[in-house]
Amino acid sequence: MSWDATIATQIAEAASMQEMSQIVAAYAAHCGYTFYGLGIQIPRPNKEPDHLLITNFPSQWREEYDSSGYMANDPVIRKALQTTIPTFWNDCPRERPEEAHVMLRAAKHGLTYGITVPFFGRRGVFGLLSFARKHDQESSEDDDIELKQKIVWFVHAATERTLTIHFETEGCEDNKLTAREAECVKLSMDGLSTKEIAKQMGVQPTTVSYFLAQAGKRLHAKGRNEIVAKAIRSGALDANMAALLESGISTSLIIAPEDNGSTH
C-alpha cells in the first residue's frame, strides 16, 4: 500500500481531533516540514463562527501573531484568499513594510520556509493548511509540482474528516450518541456482526468496537443488547442518525490519489 493510501485509510478511520493531529503531523514530516497548522472556520447562523485549529506552531508565535494583529498584514493569508492552489511562502509578494515585518517575525520563531493551501468548502466553510520549517531544502520543479498536488488532496481529505469529527462529537453529553456511534448501534440492531458493520462503514473492526464502547458509556449500558435496548428507549437513534445529513458534511470514504500522480 502506498504512503498516500495508508494516510487516506487513517484519515477515514480517525475518530478524534487527537488522531487527526497525529495524521497532520505525520504528513507534514513526510513532506519534509517540521511545523504544521490546519485552521478551519465554520459559519454559524446568527452566531460567531466556530474555529478549529490543529497546530504545533510555537505558542509564543501564535500569541504574538494574535496580539499584534498580524493577520491584517500577512502576505501569505492575502495570497491564499486570492487563489485555490498551494503557495510557497517565498512566492508571496511583500508589497508593504508591514508584510515584510510579519514574515521576518515568523522567521524568528523558526517559520522561515513554508507552503500554504486554502480550502473552500460547502456552506461557507474556509480552511488553511500550512507546513513550515526553518531551513530551506533543495527541490526540483517536478518535486514542487508533486508536493502541490499531494497537499491539495491532503487539505481536502483532512479538512473534511476534521469537520465530520467536529459535527459528530459536538455537544455529546450523556444519552446523546454521535452520528457514527448511532450508525454502529443501528447496524447492530439489524443483526450485523462487528466485522460486517466494519465492512459496511468502511472502517476497521476495532473502530466499530470503539464506537460501540463509547455508546455504552454514554447510555450507561454494558453489552451490545443492552446498548441497543437503551438507545431505542432513549430515542438516541432517531435523534442522531440525521446529524451528519443536517450538517451537510459528507461521510463517504476519502480516496487517495493514484500513485503516479493561525495556521501561518
Side-chain angles (χ1 to χ4, degrees):
M1 182 180 292
S2 70
W3 168 262
D4 285 320
T6 299
I7 288 291
T9 299
Q10 292 177 358
I11 291 174
E13 296 179 358
S16 68
M17 292 297 184
Q18 181 177 4
E19 289 181 52
M20 283 307 306
S21 179
Q22 293 170 348
I23 291 169
V24 175
Y27 205 81
H30 175 71
C31 293
Y33 290 88
T34 308
F35 300 102
Y36 57 86
L38 174 62
I40 306 171
Q41 177 173 286
I42 308 169
R44 292 293 194 183
N46 304 316
K47 295 180 181 179
E48 290 294 318
D50 286 345
H51 293 91
L52 307 178
L53 182 62
I54 296 174
T55 185
N56 73 337
F57 278 32
S59 58
Q60 290 183 339
W61 165 242
R62 300 203 307 270
E63 292 171 4
E64 179 182 339
Y65 190 93
D66 292 338
S67 62
S68 300
Y70 286 161
M71 181 176 289
N73 296 304
D74 189 335
V76 175
I77 297 293
R78 180 165 59 84
K79 182 72 173 179
L81 292 174
Q82 298 172 348
T83 184
T84 59
I85 62 176
T87 300
F88 287 105
W89 292 2
N90 282 348
D91 296 332
C92 295
R94 281 77 155 168
E95 297 177 351
R96 295 179 292 112
E98 294 86 354
E99 293 176 335
H101 176 71
V102 172
M103 301 308 294
L104 179 62
R105 291 304 305 163
K108 293 290 185 181
H109 292 273
L111 309 172
T112 308
Y113 301 94
I115 183 171
T116 293
V117 57
F119 171 88
F120 298 93
R122 296 181 292 275
R123 299 188 179 186
V125 171
F126 174 71
L128 281 178
L129 173 69
S130 292
F131 291 160
R133 60 192 176 212
K134 184 175 182 178
H135 302 290
D136 196 11
Q137 294 182 5
E138 290 188 11
S139 60
S140 67
E141 184 176 349
D142 288 342
D143 290 336
D144 290 344
I145 292 174
E146 182 180 4
L147 174 59
K148 287 184 176 182
Q149 291 174 340
K150 288 189 174 184
I151 202 172
V152 166
W153 163 76
F154 183 77
V155 71
H156 282 78
T159 302
E160 287 285 1
R161 187 59 193 154
T162 300
L163 286 167
T164 299
I165 292 170
H166 171 69
F167 284 109
E168 286 178 343
T169 58
E170 184 180 34
C172 292
E173 64 275 6
D174 285 351
N175 296 322
K176 183 176 180 181
L177 304 182
T178 69
R180 296 288 268 183
E181 290 165 2
E183 186 177 1
C184 285
V185 174
K186 174 63 169 60
L187 292 173
S188 294
M189 185 175 66
D190 292 340
L192 274 65
S193 68
T194 298
K195 288 185 177 180
E196 290 170 333
I197 295 172
K199 183 177 181 180
Q200 182 158 329
M201 293 178 64
V203 300
Q204 294 294 322
T206 52
T207 303
V208 173
S209 297
Y210 169 80
F211 283 132
L212 288 173
Q214 290 299 107
K217 291 179 181 178
R218 298 191 201 284
L219 297 169
H220 304 287
K222 294 182 179 180
R224 188 169 300 200
N225 291 338
E226 186 179 356
I227 290 173
V228 169
K230 284 196 172 184
I232 294 172
R233 287 199 300 268
S234 68
L237 287 181
D238 293 338
N240 287 275
M241 287 305 291
L244 289 189
L245 294 178
E246 292 176 358
S247 74
I249 302 300
S250 171
T251 59
S252 60
L253 266 180
I254 301 158
I255 307 301
E258 296 181 357
D259 290 346
N260 58 353
S262 118
T263 60
H264 167 57

